[in-house]
Amino acid sequence: MKAKKVYLIGAGPGRPDLITVRGLNILRQADVVVYDYLIDKKLLDEAKPGASLISSEPLGKKRYSGRSCSAQKKINELVVSEAKKGKCVVRVKNGDPSVFSRVSEEIAELIKNRIEFEIVPGVTAANAAAAFSGIPLTDRRNSSSVVFLTGHESNGKKETGIDWNSIAKFDSIVIYMGVNNISGIATRLIESGKPLDTAVALVSNAGDINQKTVRGRLKNIAAKVKEQDIEPPAILLIGKNVGLERDFNWIKKNKRVLFTGLSKERFFTDATYCHIPLIKIEPLDDYKEFDSRLRKIRDFDWIVFASRYGVEHFFQRLREIGYDTRVLNGMKIAAVGTSTKTSLLAFGISADLVPQRESSEGLVEEFKKIDLKGKRIFLPRSDISDKGLEKEFQRLGAIVTTSFVYKNTIAKDLPDLDLTSFDEVMFTSPSTVRNFKKRYGRLPENVKAKCIGDVTLREARRCRLSD
Ligand code: SAH
């Protein structure tokens, strides 16, 4: 069998959406994904179901940087052997594959085994650190040269091979893997002629929700970094441009909002949105009761969808029991809001009713305009939905059947967050409110809760997260 081509993809740093479109398209087709531990693991959700996901770090070792030769050898062997089995192997590297990431060793192995390969570039940490801290890498007025180097070995003792006199001549200096040797790096640069008050910024976790920037001068940056207890991964940016950040910094001027819902595609232009979904949507373990309702769906006059997950799981079940959308011909269908309506459109259905006010209450208001006496309504819902909507419809004279079609649980492995770095937390459902309370407790003073829908707002008030 001919070995399959291997892809070495750059995932970008810090957040899952900095990968290129090409990288993402390839990742989605992979049979085997071997990933570096620094990549955002949410990216792995993009792999197809059943793909093997393999971390390239030695098991049980919590090392920060560098990898032992034997571990590197094992990765190389694995990539080669899987490709030879005809599998599509994708190596996912943090940042860009060709910047400080031992890509040449992996390529040498592929060439030795006559396996075709392709490198898909990624956003390197330097670019992300610069963009997300508002520091330009070059500038027409005062920086026409930039150099990238590793600070890994520059601790002032070892012979590093780095010619610091040449490095000091660059206008902008970008140092990877330099946090632990920051004091040695500063000393070397000062000894090599850089002025003591050259501006420096250390950007840790660039692009990530917990990004931190420490600003200082060559003479005091080491002390400042120590004081603030900054951990790798971090990038050091050195040069006049670092001072320009005051004019350029779009991050500081923007409102920062923590978005707790699931909709990855939401993109708001009025602020910087950080996505930490607090809920997880999953299929039920048992569909006996739902499927039996579905088989008699034509007994109903209306189907009311209160969320897009309801829509997605409803149609999944419809397929599972061997039906398709034609069974709904002539039935009336309502959607609670725009995203539910859009989900319906994907199944070829244009909703008969979508309230102006996108909430359960808005739905009820609209239904008040219709004679619901004796009408049979089907409500496919989540296992934790409240009875509010059902009761309101009953009050209007309808006969309501609620049936669970998906599970809504708390997201796992939620990260520690510095909540004070946000201006606002946006809640998209009562479950996001409850899960926030469970995981993070209270909102710091000055951080506002913003709620989508009245039911969510009520829950936020009950949990004392909103006035
Ligand atoms: N190939 C990667 C670099 C790997 S070396 C790239 O192109 O970015 C690992 C170093 O990259 C870290 O020590 C740190 O200096 C830098 N780095 C990686 N991710 C980072 C992040 N999110 N924020 C700041 N620096 C990061």
Side-chain angles (χ1 to χ4, degrees), residues 13-14 38 64 94-96 99-101 124-125 176-177 203 205-206 233-235:
L38 262 183
Y64 183 65
N94 185 55
D96 180 80
V99 179
F100 304 127
S101 70
T124 189
Y176 288 68
M177 294 173 272
V203 186
N205 290 307
I235 285 281

Side-chain angles (χ1 to χ4, degrees), residues 3-153:
K4 264 256 167 77
K5 179 171 164 184
V6 169
Y7 292 88
L8 299 123
I9 300 181
R15 46 186 300 160
D17 58 357
L18 285 179
I19 191 171
T20 61
V21 174
R22 179 159 183 75
L24 188 60
N25 284 338
I26 294 168
L27 174 63
R28 286 178 174 150
Q29 291 174 42
D31 301 310
V32 180
V33 179
V34 188
Y35 61 91
D36 281 356
Y37 91 106
L38 262 183
I39 70 154
D40 191 315
K41 307 298 175 297
K42 285 205 268 317
L43 191 56
L44 300 174
D45 294 345
E46 297 290 342
K48 67 182 177 193
S52 332
L53 307 175
I54 303 163
S55 161
S56 65
E57 291 310 302
L59 281 176
K61 269 198 193 168
K62 250 198 162 174
R63 288 158 48 120
Y64 183 65
S65 61
R67 197 183 287 129
S68 69
C69 287
S70 66
Q72 183 70 50
K73 210 169 145 232
K74 272 198 190 133
I75 297 165
N76 295 347
E77 282 167 9
L78 178 82
V79 169
V80 167
S81 72
E82 292 295 303
K84 281 187 172 166
K85 283 184 209 156
K87 300 238 173 96
C88 172
V89 184
V90 170
R91 242 334 241 126
V92 185
K93 305 266 215 180
N94 185 55
D96 180 80
S98 54
V99 179
F100 304 127
S101 70
R102 301 195 185 193
V103 79
S104 36
E105 292 164 44
E106 297 189 23
I107 290 174
E109 200 63 25
L110 294 171
I111 293 173
K112 200 172 91 193
N113 285 280
R114 297 170 190 274
I115 296 173
E116 256 188 88
F117 65 88
E118 177 179 328
I119 298 178
V120 181
V123 173
T124 189
N127 293 134
F132 291 128
S133 59
I135 297 168
L137 286 180
T138 64
D139 178 79
R140 198 161 56 87
R141 286 162 298 169
N142 55 38
S143 171
S144 50
S145 64
V146 52
V147 61
F148 290 3
L149 69 144
T150 160
H152 202 43
E153 296 162 316

